[in-house]
Amino acid sequence: MATLWGHLFVWIGLWHILQVRGIAKFTNVQCFAVDEKFANFSRCRLYAVKRDVVEMSLIAKVLHWPKRPVSMRIQLLKRASGYKPFLYNICQSDLCEYLEKRNHPFVNIIFNSFTNRTNVNRCPLPAEIMLEHFRFPVKALELLPLPSGDYALFITFSFDSQERALVKVYFTLTEYR
């Protein structure tokens, strides 16, 4: 009986040691309309709600949807003497095809974290794309654990092999026990 209690206390102790918690928050957002005939951004900013809580809001007006598929590229970068590629560099050749099938795990983690805060859920996409009061998806870190540090997520939209719009989201992760 004593060894059972001893093993139980060891497992509880290990569980508490391995439970790493952290603070994650947005630090900056930048939106670029590379092709002004394609889209423009009327809002692209962060709002400090409280000390460790920051919300992001974006509004992009698409002036001309092409008849050809719009491709999307998502890059996760980590800061180490500048921002360097880290883990993911995904090119989805057709944004509408992805929205229909939802067939990429990493992209699913990103999209699922803000589906209730945006009007981009299926095609045809609206002329005004909005993301309102979006807080950092801390739950996503359970699916995609990342070490402490500064990160960037670059999302590029293009068609006809030319970049048309770019959104750069910067965030920081701080671990504590």
Side-chain angles (χ1 to χ4, degrees), residues 9-176:
F9 284 123
V10 168
W11 281 109
I12 289 173
L14 283 173
W15 182 77
H16 280 291
I17 289 171
L18 295 175
Q19 289 296 310
V20 176
R21 302 182 192 276
I23 297 172
K25 71 177 187 174
F26 295 117
T27 55
N28 195 10
V29 63
Q30 298 173 326
C31 303
F32 303 97
V34 179
D35 182 357
E36 304 260 337
K37 295 176 190 169
F38 175 67
N40 62 36
F41 290 91
S42 59
R43 184 179 302 154
C44 180
R45 63 176 299 187
L46 299 177
Y47 299 93
V49 177
K50 25 184 195 177
R51 183 176 178 186
D52 291 325
V53 178
V54 177
E55 292 181 344
M56 178 174 39
S57 290
L58 307 170
I59 297 177
K61 184 168 178 108
V62 179
L63 305 172
H64 172 67
W65 279 113
K67 295 191 183 351
R68 293 165 299 288
V70 174
S71 63
M72 172 181 67
R73 180 178 181 189
I74 298 177
Q75 298 171 282
L76 180 63
L77 301 108
K78 186 169 192 227
R79 189 164 139 185
S81 300
Y83 284 93
K84 309 282 192 237
F86 183 77
L87 289 180
Y88 295 102
N89 184 4
I90 298 151
C91 186
Q92 192 72 33
S93 61
D94 185 354
L95 177 60
C96 285
E97 181 181 323
Y98 166 75
L99 289 173
E100 185 178 307
K101 294 181 181 176
R102 307 280 175 143
N103 56 0
H104 196 285
F106 176 69
V107 181
N108 288 347
I109 291 170
I110 295 170
F111 268 88
N112 291 342
S113 65
F114 64 77
T115 54
N116 60 346
R117 297 285 181 193
T118 186
N119 61 348
V120 176
N121 292 313
R122 65 179 81 111
C123 285
L125 295 171
E128 187 171 75
I129 296 173
M130 298 175 12
L131 176 67
E132 291 288 337
H133 305 290
F134 176 60
R135 294 183 181 187
F136 191 91
V138 179
K139 291 261 188 212
L141 294 176
E142 293 172 4
L143 301 170
L144 181 69
L146 297 172
S148 291
D150 295 324
Y151 293 88
L153 189 68
F154 291 2
I155 304 171
T156 308
F157 300 94
S158 58
F159 65 91
D160 288 342
S161 300
Q162 292 183 347
E163 290 183 1
R164 306 300 175 153
L166 174 64
V167 177
K168 296 180 176 183
V169 179
Y170 298 88
F171 59 96
T172 187
L173 301 176
T174 307
E175 292 178 2
Y176 64 89

